[in-house]
Structure formats: structure tokens, C-alpha cells
Short mmCIF file of all heavy atoms in Angstrom, two decimals:
data_model
loop_
_atom_site.label_atom_id
_atom_site.label_comp_id
_atom_site.label_asym_id
_atom_site.label_seq_id
_atom_site.Cartn_x
_atom_site.Cartn_y
_atom_site.Cartn_z
N VAL A 1 3.99 -58.30 -278.64
CA VAL A 1 4.90 -59.41 -278.85
C VAL A 1 5.45 -59.33 -280.27
O VAL A 1 4.67 -59.30 -281.23
CB VAL A 1 4.17 -60.76 -278.65
CG1 VAL A 1 5.08 -61.91 -278.97
CG2 VAL A 1 3.64 -60.86 -277.24
N PRO A 2 6.77 -59.29 -280.43
CA PRO A 2 7.36 -59.21 -281.77
C PRO A 2 7.05 -60.44 -282.61
O PRO A 2 7.15 -61.57 -282.13
CB PRO A 2 8.86 -59.11 -281.49
CG PRO A 2 8.99 -58.65 -280.09
CD PRO A 2 7.79 -59.20 -279.38
N LEU A 3 6.67 -60.22 -283.85
CA LEU A 3 6.45 -61.31 -284.80
C LEU A 3 7.73 -61.62 -285.57
O LEU A 3 7.90 -62.70 -286.12
CB LEU A 3 5.33 -60.94 -285.79
CG LEU A 3 3.95 -60.78 -285.17
CD1 LEU A 3 2.96 -60.25 -286.22
CD2 LEU A 3 3.46 -62.10 -284.60
N VAL A 4 8.62 -60.63 -285.61
CA VAL A 4 9.94 -60.78 -286.23
C VAL A 4 10.97 -60.40 -285.19
O VAL A 4 10.83 -59.37 -284.52
CB VAL A 4 10.06 -59.88 -287.49
CG1 VAL A 4 11.48 -59.90 -288.02
CG2 VAL A 4 9.08 -60.30 -288.56
N ARG A 5 11.99 -61.22 -285.05
CA ARG A 5 13.04 -60.96 -284.06
C ARG A 5 14.35 -60.61 -284.75
O ARG A 5 14.67 -61.13 -285.81
CB ARG A 5 13.26 -62.20 -283.19
CG ARG A 5 12.05 -62.56 -282.37
CD ARG A 5 12.34 -62.31 -280.94
NE ARG A 5 11.18 -62.68 -280.12
CZ ARG A 5 10.85 -62.01 -279.06
NH1 ARG A 5 11.56 -60.98 -278.68
NH2 ARG A 5 9.82 -62.38 -278.35
N ASN A 6 15.11 -59.75 -284.12
CA ASN A 6 16.41 -59.32 -284.62
C ASN A 6 17.33 -60.53 -284.89
O ASN A 6 17.44 -61.42 -284.05
CB ASN A 6 17.08 -58.39 -283.62
CG ASN A 6 18.38 -57.83 -284.13
OD1 ASN A 6 18.50 -57.51 -285.31
ND2 ASN A 6 19.34 -57.71 -283.24
N GLY A 7 17.95 -60.54 -286.07
CA GLY A 7 18.91 -61.59 -286.40
C GLY A 7 18.30 -62.88 -286.90
O GLY A 7 19.02 -63.81 -287.24
N ARG A 8 16.97 -62.95 -286.96
CA ARG A 8 16.29 -64.16 -287.42
C ARG A 8 15.95 -64.06 -288.90
O ARG A 8 15.82 -62.97 -289.45
CB ARG A 8 14.99 -64.39 -286.64
CG ARG A 8 15.17 -64.58 -285.16
CD ARG A 8 15.44 -66.07 -284.84
NE ARG A 8 15.66 -66.28 -283.43
CZ ARG A 8 14.73 -66.66 -282.57
NH1 ARG A 8 13.49 -66.85 -282.96
NH2 ARG A 8 15.04 -66.85 -281.32
N PHE A 9 15.78 -65.21 -289.53
CA PHE A 9 15.37 -65.24 -290.92
C PHE A 9 13.91 -64.81 -291.05
O PHE A 9 13.08 -65.13 -290.19
CB PHE A 9 15.53 -66.64 -291.51
CG PHE A 9 16.96 -67.07 -291.60
CD1 PHE A 9 17.42 -68.15 -290.87
CD2 PHE A 9 17.86 -66.39 -292.40
CE1 PHE A 9 18.73 -68.56 -290.95
CE2 PHE A 9 19.19 -66.78 -292.49
CZ PHE A 9 19.62 -67.87 -291.75
N VAL A 10 13.62 -64.07 -292.10
CA VAL A 10 12.26 -63.58 -292.35
C VAL A 10 11.98 -63.74 -293.85
O VAL A 10 12.85 -63.48 -294.68
CB VAL A 10 12.09 -62.12 -291.88
CG1 VAL A 10 13.06 -61.19 -292.54
CG2 VAL A 10 10.67 -61.63 -292.06
N THR A 11 10.79 -64.22 -294.18
CA THR A 11 10.39 -64.33 -295.59
C THR A 11 9.82 -62.99 -296.01
O THR A 11 8.82 -62.52 -295.46
CB THR A 11 9.33 -65.44 -295.77
OG1 THR A 11 9.90 -66.67 -295.33
CG2 THR A 11 8.93 -65.56 -297.23
N VAL A 12 10.47 -62.36 -296.99
CA VAL A 12 10.09 -61.03 -297.46
C VAL A 12 9.43 -61.15 -298.83
O VAL A 12 9.96 -61.80 -299.72
CB VAL A 12 11.31 -60.10 -297.53
CG1 VAL A 12 10.93 -58.74 -298.09
CG2 VAL A 12 11.93 -59.94 -296.14
N THR A 13 8.26 -60.53 -298.96
CA THR A 13 7.51 -60.54 -300.20
C THR A 13 7.59 -59.18 -300.86
O THR A 13 7.48 -58.15 -300.20
CB THR A 13 6.02 -60.88 -299.92
OG1 THR A 13 5.96 -62.14 -299.26
CG2 THR A 13 5.21 -60.94 -301.19
N SER A 14 7.80 -59.20 -302.17
CA SER A 14 7.79 -57.97 -302.97
C SER A 14 6.77 -58.14 -304.08
O SER A 14 6.81 -59.14 -304.80
CB SER A 14 9.18 -57.71 -303.55
OG SER A 14 9.15 -56.55 -304.36
N ARG A 15 5.85 -57.18 -304.20
CA ARG A 15 4.82 -57.24 -305.25
C ARG A 15 4.98 -56.04 -306.17
O ARG A 15 5.10 -54.91 -305.70
CB ARG A 15 3.43 -57.22 -304.63
CG ARG A 15 3.11 -58.45 -303.84
CD ARG A 15 1.72 -58.36 -303.21
NE ARG A 15 1.43 -59.54 -302.42
CZ ARG A 15 1.79 -59.73 -301.16
NH1 ARG A 15 2.47 -58.79 -300.53
NH2 ARG A 15 1.50 -60.84 -300.53
N ARG A 16 4.99 -56.31 -307.46
CA ARG A 16 5.09 -55.23 -308.44
C ARG A 16 4.29 -55.65 -309.66
O ARG A 16 4.59 -56.69 -310.26
CB ARG A 16 6.55 -54.99 -308.79
CG ARG A 16 6.74 -53.72 -309.56
CD ARG A 16 8.19 -53.39 -309.65
NE ARG A 16 8.33 -52.00 -310.05
CZ ARG A 16 9.45 -51.36 -310.09
NH1 ARG A 16 10.56 -51.96 -309.73
NH2 ARG A 16 9.49 -50.12 -310.48
N GLY A 17 3.29 -54.85 -309.99
CA GLY A 17 2.41 -55.24 -311.09
C GLY A 17 1.72 -56.54 -310.72
O GLY A 17 1.20 -56.69 -309.63
N GLY A 18 1.75 -57.51 -311.59
CA GLY A 18 1.14 -58.81 -311.31
C GLY A 18 2.14 -59.84 -310.84
O GLY A 18 1.84 -61.02 -310.78
N VAL A 19 3.36 -59.41 -310.51
CA VAL A 19 4.41 -60.35 -310.13
C VAL A 19 4.68 -60.26 -308.62
O VAL A 19 4.82 -59.18 -308.07
CB VAL A 19 5.73 -60.03 -310.90
CG1 VAL A 19 6.84 -60.96 -310.47
CG2 VAL A 19 5.50 -60.10 -312.39
N THR A 20 4.77 -61.42 -307.99
CA THR A 20 5.10 -61.51 -306.57
C THR A 20 6.37 -62.34 -306.43
O THR A 20 6.46 -63.43 -307.00
CB THR A 20 3.96 -62.16 -305.77
OG1 THR A 20 2.79 -61.36 -305.92
CG2 THR A 20 4.31 -62.28 -304.30
N VAL A 21 7.33 -61.82 -305.69
CA VAL A 21 8.59 -62.52 -305.45
C VAL A 21 8.80 -62.61 -303.95
O VAL A 21 8.57 -61.64 -303.23
CB VAL A 21 9.77 -61.76 -306.11
CG1 VAL A 21 11.09 -62.44 -305.80
CG2 VAL A 21 9.56 -61.63 -307.60
N GLN A 22 9.26 -63.78 -303.49
CA GLN A 22 9.59 -63.94 -302.09
C GLN A 22 11.05 -64.37 -301.97
O GLN A 22 11.55 -65.12 -302.81
CB GLN A 22 8.73 -65.01 -301.43
CG GLN A 22 7.30 -64.59 -301.24
CD GLN A 22 6.51 -65.64 -300.47
OE1 GLN A 22 6.66 -66.83 -300.70
NE2 GLN A 22 5.69 -65.18 -299.56
N ARG A 23 11.72 -63.88 -300.94
CA ARG A 23 13.07 -64.34 -300.65
C ARG A 23 13.31 -64.25 -299.15
O ARG A 23 12.70 -63.45 -298.46
CB ARG A 23 14.11 -63.58 -301.46
CG ARG A 23 14.43 -62.20 -301.00
CD ARG A 23 15.24 -61.41 -302.00
NE ARG A 23 16.64 -61.76 -302.04
CZ ARG A 23 17.54 -61.09 -302.74
NH1 ARG A 23 17.18 -60.05 -303.46
NH2 ARG A 23 18.79 -61.44 -302.73
N VAL A 24 14.20 -65.08 -298.69
CA VAL A 24 14.53 -65.09 -297.27
C VAL A 24 15.62 -64.06 -297.02
O VAL A 24 16.60 -63.97 -297.76
CB VAL A 24 15.00 -66.50 -296.83
CG1 VAL A 24 15.46 -66.48 -295.38
CG2 VAL A 24 13.88 -67.51 -297.03
N MET A 25 15.41 -63.25 -295.99
CA MET A 25 16.37 -62.24 -295.57
C MET A 25 16.59 -62.38 -294.08
O MET A 25 15.94 -63.17 -293.42
CB MET A 25 15.86 -60.84 -295.91
CG MET A 25 15.68 -60.59 -297.38
SD MET A 25 15.22 -58.87 -297.68
CE MET A 25 15.07 -58.90 -299.45
N LYS A 26 17.49 -61.57 -293.55
CA LYS A 26 17.77 -61.58 -292.11
C LYS A 26 17.31 -60.26 -291.52
O LYS A 26 17.67 -59.19 -292.01
CB LYS A 26 19.25 -61.79 -291.87
CG LYS A 26 19.56 -62.35 -290.51
CD LYS A 26 20.99 -62.84 -290.46
CE LYS A 26 21.10 -63.90 -289.40
NZ LYS A 26 22.47 -64.40 -289.31
N SER A 27 16.53 -60.34 -290.45
CA SER A 27 16.01 -59.16 -289.78
C SER A 27 17.11 -58.39 -289.07
O SER A 27 18.01 -58.99 -288.48
CB SER A 27 14.94 -59.59 -288.78
OG SER A 27 14.57 -58.51 -287.97
N LYS A 28 17.01 -57.06 -289.13
CA LYS A 28 17.97 -56.22 -288.41
C LYS A 28 17.30 -55.54 -287.21
O LYS A 28 17.81 -54.56 -286.68
CB LYS A 28 18.55 -55.17 -289.36
CG LYS A 28 19.41 -55.81 -290.45
CD LYS A 28 19.93 -54.79 -291.41
CE LYS A 28 21.19 -54.15 -290.88
NZ LYS A 28 21.81 -53.25 -291.86
N GLY A 29 16.15 -56.09 -286.79
CA GLY A 29 15.46 -55.55 -285.62
C GLY A 29 14.23 -56.35 -285.30
O GLY A 29 13.78 -57.18 -286.10
N ASP A 30 13.68 -56.13 -284.11
CA ASP A 30 12.41 -56.75 -283.72
C ASP A 30 11.28 -55.94 -284.33
O ASP A 30 11.42 -54.72 -284.52
CB ASP A 30 12.24 -56.74 -282.20
CG ASP A 30 13.22 -57.66 -281.49
OD1 ASP A 30 13.87 -58.49 -282.16
OD2 ASP A 30 13.31 -57.56 -280.24
N GLY A 31 10.15 -56.59 -284.62
CA GLY A 31 9.00 -55.85 -285.15
C GLY A 31 7.68 -56.55 -284.87
O GLY A 31 7.60 -57.78 -284.88
N THR A 32 6.66 -55.75 -284.60
CA THR A 32 5.30 -56.25 -284.42
C THR A 32 4.52 -55.99 -285.71
O THR A 32 5.01 -55.32 -286.61
CB THR A 32 4.61 -55.55 -283.24
OG1 THR A 32 4.59 -54.15 -283.49
CG2 THR A 32 5.33 -55.82 -281.93
N ALA A 33 3.31 -56.50 -285.81
CA ALA A 33 2.49 -56.37 -287.02
C ALA A 33 2.37 -54.90 -287.43
O ALA A 33 2.05 -54.03 -286.62
CB ALA A 33 1.11 -56.96 -286.79
N GLY A 34 2.68 -54.61 -288.71
CA GLY A 34 2.57 -53.27 -289.24
C GLY A 34 3.79 -52.39 -289.03
O GLY A 34 3.92 -51.33 -289.63
N GLU A 35 4.71 -52.82 -288.19
CA GLU A 35 5.89 -52.02 -287.90
C GLU A 35 6.91 -52.12 -289.05
O GLU A 35 7.07 -53.17 -289.66
CB GLU A 35 6.54 -52.52 -286.61
CG GLU A 35 7.55 -51.58 -286.03
CD GLU A 35 7.93 -51.96 -284.61
OE1 GLU A 35 7.56 -53.04 -284.11
OE2 GLU A 35 8.63 -51.15 -283.99
N VAL A 36 7.58 -51.02 -289.32
CA VAL A 36 8.60 -50.97 -290.38
C VAL A 36 9.97 -51.19 -289.74
O VAL A 36 10.33 -50.53 -288.76
CB VAL A 36 8.55 -49.62 -291.12
CG1 VAL A 36 9.68 -49.52 -292.13
CG2 VAL A 36 7.20 -49.46 -291.82
N ILE A 37 10.71 -52.16 -290.30
CA ILE A 37 12.05 -52.48 -289.82
C ILE A 37 12.99 -52.66 -291.03
O ILE A 37 12.54 -52.60 -292.17
CB ILE A 37 12.06 -53.77 -288.97
CG1 ILE A 37 11.59 -54.98 -289.80
CG2 ILE A 37 11.21 -53.60 -287.71
CD1 ILE A 37 11.79 -56.31 -289.09
N ALA A 38 14.24 -52.91 -290.77
CA ALA A 38 15.20 -53.19 -291.83
C ALA A 38 15.51 -54.68 -291.84
O ALA A 38 15.46 -55.35 -290.82
CB ALA A 38 16.48 -52.39 -291.61
N ALA A 39 15.82 -55.17 -293.04
CA ALA A 39 16.28 -56.55 -293.21
C ALA A 39 17.39 -56.49 -294.25
O ALA A 39 17.49 -55.54 -295.02
CB ALA A 39 15.14 -57.44 -293.68
N HIS A 40 18.25 -57.51 -294.26
CA HIS A 40 19.28 -57.52 -295.29
C HIS A 40 19.31 -58.85 -296.03
O HIS A 40 18.97 -59.89 -295.47
CB HIS A 40 20.66 -57.12 -294.76
CG HIS A 40 21.30 -58.14 -293.86
ND1 HIS A 40 21.31 -58.01 -292.51
CD2 HIS A 40 21.96 -59.28 -294.14
CE1 HIS A 40 21.95 -59.04 -291.98
NE2 HIS A 40 22.34 -59.83 -292.95
N THR A 41 19.72 -58.75 -297.30
CA THR A 41 19.82 -59.94 -298.13
C THR A 41 20.96 -60.81 -297.63
O THR A 41 21.94 -60.32 -297.07
CB THR A 41 20.05 -59.57 -299.60
OG1 THR A 41 21.29 -58.87 -299.71
CG2 THR A 41 18.92 -58.72 -300.15
N LEU A 42 20.83 -62.11 -297.84
CA LEU A 42 21.86 -63.03 -297.37
C LEU A 42 23.08 -63.03 -298.28
O LEU A 42 24.19 -63.25 -297.83
CB LEU A 42 21.28 -64.46 -297.28
CG LEU A 42 20.06 -64.61 -296.37
CD1 LEU A 42 19.57 -66.05 -296.38
CD2 LEU A 42 20.35 -64.15 -294.97
N GLU A 43 22.85 -62.75 -299.57
CA GLU A 43 23.94 -62.82 -300.54
C GLU A 43 24.91 -61.64 -300.43
O GLU A 43 26.12 -61.84 -300.36
CB GLU A 43 23.39 -62.87 -301.98
CG GLU A 43 22.48 -64.05 -302.25
CD GLU A 43 21.06 -63.87 -301.75
OE1 GLU A 43 20.66 -62.71 -301.48
OE2 GLU A 43 20.35 -64.87 -301.60
N ASP A 44 24.39 -60.43 -300.45
CA ASP A 44 25.27 -59.25 -300.48
C ASP A 44 25.02 -58.28 -299.33
O ASP A 44 25.57 -57.19 -299.31
CB ASP A 44 25.15 -58.52 -301.82
CG ASP A 44 23.74 -58.05 -302.12
OD1 ASP A 44 22.86 -58.17 -301.25
OD2 ASP A 44 23.52 -57.55 -303.23
N HIS A 45 24.19 -58.66 -298.39
CA HIS A 45 23.89 -57.87 -297.19
C HIS A 45 23.30 -56.49 -297.50
O HIS A 45 23.46 -55.56 -296.73
CB HIS A 45 25.12 -57.75 -296.29
CG HIS A 45 25.62 -59.09 -295.84
ND1 HIS A 45 25.05 -59.78 -294.81
CD2 HIS A 45 26.61 -59.88 -296.33
CE1 HIS A 45 25.67 -60.93 -294.66
NE2 HIS A 45 26.62 -61.02 -295.57
N ARG A 46 22.63 -56.37 -298.65
CA ARG A 46 21.96 -55.13 -299.03
C ARG A 46 20.77 -54.93 -298.08
O ARG A 46 20.00 -55.85 -297.83
CB ARG A 46 21.48 -55.22 -300.47
CG ARG A 46 20.62 -54.08 -300.86
CD ARG A 46 20.24 -54.15 -302.32
NE ARG A 46 20.69 -52.89 -302.88
CZ ARG A 46 21.42 -52.74 -303.93
NH1 ARG A 46 21.81 -53.76 -304.62
NH2 ARG A 46 21.78 -51.55 -304.33
N THR A 47 20.63 -53.72 -297.55
CA THR A 47 19.55 -53.42 -296.61
C THR A 47 18.29 -53.01 -297.35
O THR A 47 18.34 -52.21 -298.29
CB THR A 47 19.99 -52.32 -295.64
OG1 THR A 47 21.14 -52.78 -294.90
CG2 THR A 47 18.88 -51.98 -294.65
N VAL A 48 17.16 -53.56 -296.91
CA VAL A 48 15.85 -53.29 -297.49
C VAL A 48 14.90 -52.91 -296.36
O VAL A 48 14.95 -53.50 -295.28
CB VAL A 48 15.33 -54.54 -298.23
CG1 VAL A 48 13.95 -54.31 -298.81
CG2 VAL A 48 16.30 -54.98 -299.31
N THR A 49 14.05 -51.94 -296.59
CA THR A 49 13.04 -51.54 -295.61
C THR A 49 11.79 -52.40 -295.82
O THR A 49 11.29 -52.50 -296.94
CB THR A 49 12.69 -50.05 -295.76
OG1 THR A 49 13.89 -49.29 -295.63
CG2 THR A 49 11.69 -49.61 -294.71
N VAL A 50 11.32 -53.03 -294.75
CA VAL A 50 10.17 -53.94 -294.84
C VAL A 50 9.15 -53.63 -293.75
O VAL A 50 9.47 -53.05 -292.72
CB VAL A 50 10.63 -55.42 -294.73
CG1 VAL A 50 11.61 -55.78 -295.84
CG2 VAL A 50 11.25 -55.73 -293.38
N ARG A 51 7.89 -54.04 -294.01
CA ARG A 51 6.82 -53.90 -293.03
C ARG A 51 6.42 -55.31 -292.56
O ARG A 51 6.17 -56.18 -293.38
CB ARG A 51 5.60 -53.21 -293.66
CG ARG A 51 4.41 -53.11 -292.69
CD ARG A 51 3.26 -52.31 -293.27
NE ARG A 51 3.64 -50.89 -293.27
CZ ARG A 51 3.89 -50.16 -294.35
NH1 ARG A 51 3.81 -50.68 -295.55
NH2 ARG A 51 4.22 -48.89 -294.25
N VAL A 52 6.39 -55.52 -291.27
CA VAL A 52 6.05 -56.82 -290.70
C VAL A 52 4.59 -57.14 -290.99
O VAL A 52 3.70 -56.32 -290.72
CB VAL A 52 6.33 -56.85 -289.18
CG1 VAL A 52 5.90 -58.16 -288.56
CG2 VAL A 52 7.79 -56.55 -288.88
N THR A 53 4.35 -58.35 -291.55
CA THR A 53 2.99 -58.76 -291.91
C THR A 53 2.51 -60.00 -291.16
O THR A 53 1.33 -60.29 -291.16
CB THR A 53 2.89 -59.04 -293.43
OG1 THR A 53 3.82 -60.07 -293.77
CG2 THR A 53 3.16 -57.79 -294.24
N GLY A 54 3.43 -60.72 -290.56
CA GLY A 54 3.07 -61.94 -289.85
C GLY A 54 4.27 -62.54 -289.16
O GLY A 54 5.34 -61.92 -289.10
N LEU A 55 4.12 -63.76 -288.65
CA LEU A 55 5.20 -64.44 -287.95
C LEU A 55 6.34 -64.73 -288.91
O LEU A 55 6.19 -65.49 -289.85
CB LEU A 55 4.69 -65.73 -287.32
CG LEU A 55 5.68 -66.51 -286.47
CD1 LEU A 55 6.19 -65.65 -285.32
CD2 LEU A 55 5.05 -67.78 -285.97
N GLN A 56 7.47 -64.06 -288.68
CA GLN A 56 8.67 -64.16 -289.51
C GLN A 56 8.38 -63.86 -290.98
O GLN A 56 8.99 -64.42 -291.88
CB GLN A 56 9.32 -65.54 -289.36
CG GLN A 56 9.84 -65.82 -287.95
CD GLN A 56 10.77 -64.75 -287.41
OE1 GLN A 56 10.46 -64.13 -286.39
NE2 GLN A 56 11.89 -64.52 -288.04
N GLU A 57 7.42 -62.95 -291.24
CA GLU A 57 7.05 -62.53 -292.59
C GLU A 57 6.98 -61.01 -292.67
O GLU A 57 6.60 -60.35 -291.71
CB GLU A 57 5.69 -63.11 -292.99
CG GLU A 57 5.68 -64.61 -293.08
CD GLU A 57 4.33 -65.16 -293.49
OE1 GLU A 57 3.33 -64.39 -293.49
OE2 GLU A 57 4.27 -66.35 -293.80
N ALA A 58 7.35 -60.48 -293.85
CA ALA A 58 7.31 -59.04 -294.07
C ALA A 58 7.16 -58.76 -295.56
O ALA A 58 7.29 -59.67 -296.38
CB ALA A 58 8.58 -58.39 -293.53
N GLU A 59 6.85 -57.49 -295.89
CA GLU A 59 6.76 -57.10 -297.29
C GLU A 59 7.64 -55.87 -297.50
O GLU A 59 7.83 -55.07 -296.59
CB GLU A 59 5.32 -56.81 -297.69
CG GLU A 59 4.70 -55.63 -296.97
CD GLU A 59 3.23 -55.44 -297.30
OE1 GLU A 59 2.66 -56.24 -298.05
OE2 GLU A 59 2.66 -54.46 -296.81
N VAL A 60 8.18 -55.75 -298.72
CA VAL A 60 9.03 -54.62 -299.05
C VAL A 60 8.20 -53.35 -299.03
O VAL A 60 7.11 -53.29 -299.60
CB VAL A 60 9.68 -54.82 -300.43
CG1 VAL A 60 10.48 -53.58 -300.84
CG2 VAL A 60 10.59 -56.04 -300.43
N VAL A 61 8.70 -52.31 -298.37
CA VAL A 61 8.01 -51.03 -298.30
C VAL A 61 8.31 -50.21 -299.54
O VAL A 61 7.43 -49.65 -300.16
CB VAL A 61 8.42 -50.25 -297.02
CG1 VAL A 61 7.86 -48.85 -297.03
CG2 VAL A 61 7.96 -51.00 -295.79
N ASP A 62 9.57 -50.16 -299.95
CA ASP A 62 9.98 -49.40 -301.13
C ASP A 62 10.57 -50.39 -302.12
O ASP A 62 11.72 -50.78 -301.99
CB ASP A 62 11.01 -48.34 -300.74
CG ASP A 62 11.51 -47.55 -301.93
OD1 ASP A 62 10.98 -47.70 -303.04
OD2 ASP A 62 12.44 -46.76 -301.73
N ALA A 63 9.78 -50.80 -303.12
CA ALA A 63 10.22 -51.83 -304.06
C ALA A 63 11.48 -51.43 -304.82
O ALA A 63 12.24 -52.29 -305.26
CB ALA A 63 9.09 -52.15 -305.04
N THR A 64 11.76 -50.13 -304.96
CA THR A 64 12.96 -49.71 -305.69
C THR A 64 14.22 -49.97 -304.88
O THR A 64 15.31 -49.98 -305.42
CB THR A 64 12.89 -48.22 -306.07
OG1 THR A 64 12.80 -47.44 -304.88
CG2 THR A 64 11.72 -47.94 -306.98
N ALA A 65 14.07 -50.21 -303.57
CA ALA A 65 15.23 -50.47 -302.73
C ALA A 65 15.67 -51.93 -302.82
O ALA A 65 16.78 -52.26 -302.42
CB ALA A 65 14.92 -50.12 -301.27
N ALA A 66 14.81 -52.79 -303.34
CA ALA A 66 15.14 -54.21 -303.44
C ALA A 66 15.74 -54.51 -304.81
O ALA A 66 15.11 -54.33 -305.83
CB ALA A 66 13.88 -55.06 -303.24
N LYS A 67 16.97 -54.95 -304.80
CA LYS A 67 17.67 -55.28 -306.04
C LYS A 67 17.21 -56.66 -306.50
O LYS A 67 17.14 -57.59 -305.70
CB LYS A 67 19.17 -55.29 -305.76
CG LYS A 67 20.01 -55.58 -306.97
CD LYS A 67 21.47 -55.51 -306.60
CE LYS A 67 22.34 -55.80 -307.78
NZ LYS A 67 23.75 -55.79 -307.40
N PRO A 68 16.91 -56.83 -307.79
CA PRO A 68 16.51 -58.15 -308.28
C PRO A 68 17.61 -59.18 -308.03
O PRO A 68 18.79 -58.84 -308.02
CB PRO A 68 16.32 -57.93 -309.79
CG PRO A 68 16.22 -56.47 -309.98
CD PRO A 68 16.94 -55.83 -308.83
N ALA A 69 17.21 -60.44 -307.85
CA ALA A 69 18.17 -61.51 -307.60
C ALA A 69 19.06 -61.74 -308.81
O ALA A 69 20.21 -62.13 -308.69
CB ALA A 69 17.44 -62.80 -307.23
N VAL A 70 18.54 -61.50 -310.02
CA VAL A 70 19.29 -61.71 -311.25
C VAL A 70 19.31 -60.41 -312.03
O VAL A 70 18.28 -59.82 -312.31
CB VAL A 70 18.64 -62.82 -312.10
CG1 VAL A 70 19.40 -63.00 -313.41
CG2 VAL A 70 18.56 -64.12 -311.32
N GLU A 71 20.49 -59.96 -312.38
CA GLU A 71 20.63 -58.75 -313.18
C GLU A 71 20.37 -59.07 -314.65
O GLU A 71 20.69 -60.16 -315.11
CB GLU A 71 22.06 -58.19 -313.04
CG GLU A 71 22.36 -57.62 -311.69
CD GLU A 71 21.60 -56.35 -311.40
OE1 GLU A 71 21.40 -55.54 -312.31
OE2 GLU A 71 21.19 -56.16 -310.24
N GLY A 72 19.80 -58.16 -315.36
CA GLY A 72 19.58 -58.36 -316.79
C GLY A 72 18.44 -57.48 -317.25
O GLY A 72 17.84 -56.74 -316.48
N PRO A 73 18.13 -57.54 -318.55
CA PRO A 73 17.07 -56.70 -319.09
C PRO A 73 15.72 -57.10 -318.54
O PRO A 73 15.49 -58.25 -318.19
CB PRO A 73 17.15 -56.94 -320.60
CG PRO A 73 17.88 -58.23 -320.75
CD PRO A 73 18.75 -58.39 -319.55
N THR A 74 14.83 -56.13 -318.43
CA THR A 74 13.47 -56.40 -318.01
C THR A 74 12.66 -56.79 -319.24
O THR A 74 13.12 -56.69 -320.36
CB THR A 74 12.84 -55.16 -317.34
OG1 THR A 74 12.88 -54.10 -318.28
CG2 THR A 74 13.57 -54.79 -316.06
N VAL A 75 11.45 -57.24 -319.03
CA VAL A 75 10.58 -57.64 -320.13
C VAL A 75 10.42 -56.46 -321.08
O VAL A 75 10.13 -55.35 -320.67
CB VAL A 75 9.21 -58.10 -319.60
CG1 VAL A 75 8.26 -58.40 -320.75
CG2 VAL A 75 9.37 -59.32 -318.73
N GLY A 76 10.63 -56.71 -322.37
CA GLY A 76 10.48 -55.67 -323.36
C GLY A 76 11.70 -54.83 -323.57
O GLY A 76 11.74 -53.98 -324.46
N GLU A 77 12.75 -55.04 -322.81
CA GLU A 77 13.98 -54.26 -322.92
C GLU A 77 14.98 -55.05 -323.74
O GLU A 77 15.14 -56.25 -323.56
CB GLU A 77 14.55 -53.98 -321.52
CG GLU A 77 15.79 -53.15 -321.52
CD GLU A 77 16.29 -52.89 -320.12
OE1 GLU A 77 15.95 -53.65 -319.20
OE2 GLU A 77 17.07 -51.95 -319.95
N ALA A 78 15.68 -54.40 -324.64
CA ALA A 78 16.68 -55.07 -325.48
C ALA A 78 17.95 -55.30 -324.70
O ALA A 78 18.28 -54.56 -323.80
CB ALA A 78 16.98 -54.22 -326.71
N ARG A 79 18.66 -56.35 -325.05
CA ARG A 79 19.96 -56.64 -324.43
C ARG A 79 21.02 -55.74 -324.95
O ARG A 79 21.10 -55.35 -326.02
CB ARG A 79 20.36 -58.09 -324.67
CG ARG A 79 19.62 -59.02 -323.78
CD ARG A 79 20.27 -60.42 -323.88
NE ARG A 79 19.59 -61.29 -322.96
CZ ARG A 79 20.00 -61.59 -321.74
NH1 ARG A 79 21.10 -61.10 -321.29
NH2 ARG A 79 19.33 -62.38 -320.96
#
């Protein structure tokens, strides 16, 4: 039974270092637990590869594919 359905909203979690970020995206396919599917951002429709973790929940598989919500310098980087 799919936990994520095509075209539905899914909460996507991205973890990097000690920081966890969640954002709502739209699924581009059905997926069961552990299955890898695509989702896209609502703002710019950028496609991200995610792994289904629960009911309408997933995590980013390749963190470099997820563009930060706000552009700018990272911690420790000069402007």
C-alpha cells in the first residue's frame, strides 16, 4: 500500500550535520516505505529525489540536489 501518492503533498526532511529542515513538496509518484521517488518544490518546481519514510513523509536522498529556501552565504562564509 503506497504511503505517498502521486500528486499529493508530502513533508520532506533534509538532515545535514546537526541541522534538520522540513518543507512541503508535491510527490511525482506513488511510493511505499523505503522506496525512492521524485518530488518537486512548490515554489520553483525543482525536482528532488526522496525516500519514503512514512505516511505522506519522505527524506532527501541526495542533500546536494535540494536547493536551500533562502540564497545567501553559509555559516562562516563572507558576504
Side-chain angles (χ1 to χ4, degrees):
V1 175
L3 295 174
V4 172
R5 297 249 181 216
N6 185 38
R8 299 273 178 96
F9 294 116
V10 58
T11 300
V12 176
T13 303
S14 178
R15 293 178 182 85
R16 192 169 196 173
V19 178
T20 299
V21 177
Q22 289 185 319
R23 76 192 283 187
V24 175
M25 297 185 181
K26 203 167 205 180
S27 171
K28 293 178 84 174
D30 291 348
T32 58
E35 194 168 9
V36 175
I37 62 171
H40 70 258
T41 62
L42 302 179
E43 301 80 18
D44 59 6
H45 300 280
R46 171 176 236 129
T47 299
V48 178
T49 303
V50 300
R51 177 174 287 111
V52 176
T53 59
L55 184 59
Q56 296 307 118
E57 295 181 348
E59 64 185 3
V60 175
V61 172
D62 178 7
T64 61
K67 182 178 179 182
V70 178
E71 290 291 323
T74 58
V75 175
E77 182 179 22
R79 283 191 177 263

